[in-house]
Amino acid sequence: MKKLLLVSILIFSTINALAQNKEKTNNPTDKGHFIVDGSVYFSINNSKSEQDGFETENNTFAFGISPKAAYFIIDNLALGLETSFTYADMEFTNTEGSESSSNSSGISVGPFLRYYLSNGFFGQASLGFGTAKSNSSDFETKNDVFRYQLGIGYAIFLNQHTSLEPLISYEYNKTTSDQSTSEITNNGFTLGAGFTIYL
């Protein structure tokens, strides 16, 4: 009887230790977890625009803040929603050499997807749809915005629930004016960093 009791205690202790070890190794990117992220990014790039048959070359400096939230639908794969607030300064040069400048601010919202590898690297893709307001010395315009972004980053885990995440990505932006036939496409590489909380 004592031997049976001793064996039962030993088995129970082993199962309990294994269960606690499984809880300790619970990965923050496992299915069922959430992430909340706040990212800051900036970019410098060149683009071309066309209006009424005339082409213009543009140099752009952009700065943005991008909060997002997502749910891990399977292990390591998170699907969520991203909101981007952007500010950009643009310089234009037309085919005749005339120069002008403007600035714009906008907001876009759309889905994003992120997949983590076991070594901390991750890939990310996002779409955004929104509006922007442009100001120049002559007039102010409102624009429709479409953007997409593809990037890779690295999660530096500070603990089980937080990480710092530097990111480099390729971004494409297209703005279409509501008041004219003006259309601006803007693409280039973006550097950023995020602070992520895993729930």
Side-chain angles (χ1 to χ4, degrees):
M1 184 71 176
K2 289 183 179 180
K3 288 183 179 180
L4 182 60
L5 182 61
L6 186 61
V7 170
S8 298
I9 291 172
L10 184 61
I11 291 173
F12 177 79
S13 298
T14 303
I15 292 172
N16 188 45
L18 289 173
Q20 287 181 355
N21 186 56
K22 186 176 180 181
E23 287 179 7
K24 288 180 182 178
T25 58
N26 186 25
N27 195 315
T29 61
D30 284 348
K31 178 182 177 181
H33 288 206
F34 290 87
I35 57 174
V36 179
D37 177 290
S39 300
V40 176
Y41 61 90
F42 69 92
S43 65
I44 300 172
N45 51 53
N46 300 315
S47 62
K48 289 185 177 180
S49 62
E50 184 175 331
Q51 182 176 4
D52 301 325
F54 295 97
E55 285 192 0
T56 305
E57 292 187 2
N58 314 313
N59 294 315
T60 305
F61 170 78
F63 171 84
I65 300 172
S66 181
K68 56 181 75 72
Y71 175 76
F72 284 94
I73 55 175
I74 60 173
D75 288 355
N76 302 319
L77 180 63
L79 178 63
L81 192 66
E82 177 181 45
T83 304
S84 291
F85 304 91
T86 58
Y87 174 84
D89 276 321
M90 293 168 280
E91 294 182 355
F92 305 95
T93 305
N94 64 24
T95 52
E96 298 174 353
S98 294
E99 295 184 355
S100 61
S101 63
S102 71
N103 60 69
S104 69
S105 58
I107 180 173
S108 65
V109 179
F112 89 98
L113 193 68
R114 182 182 287 179
Y115 184 80
Y116 287 85
L117 300 177
S118 58
N119 58 9
F121 283 96
F122 63 86
Q124 180 175 297
S126 64
L127 291 174
F129 306 88
T131 61
K133 184 185 293 184
S134 297
N135 297 288
S136 67
S137 56
D138 298 328
F139 52 87
E140 179 181 288
T141 61
K142 291 183 179 179
N143 307 302
D144 295 321
V145 176
F146 167 74
R147 57 175 288 275
Y148 69 81
Q149 191 174 42
L150 302 170
I152 56 172
Y154 183 73
I156 304 167
F157 282 92
L158 306 178
N159 55 48
Q160 184 79 357
H161 300 289
T162 58
S163 70
L164 293 176
E165 299 181 341
L167 176 75
I168 183 170
S169 58
Y170 172 81
E171 184 171 346
Y172 172 89
N173 282 282
K174 178 180 174 182
T175 58
T176 306
S177 174
D178 291 343
Q179 288 118 351
S180 69
T181 58
S182 174
E183 184 177 283
I184 298 174
T185 58
N186 199 351
N187 58 79
F189 286 94
T190 298
L191 295 174
F195 179 76
T196 301
I197 299 173
Y198 299 81
L199 304 173

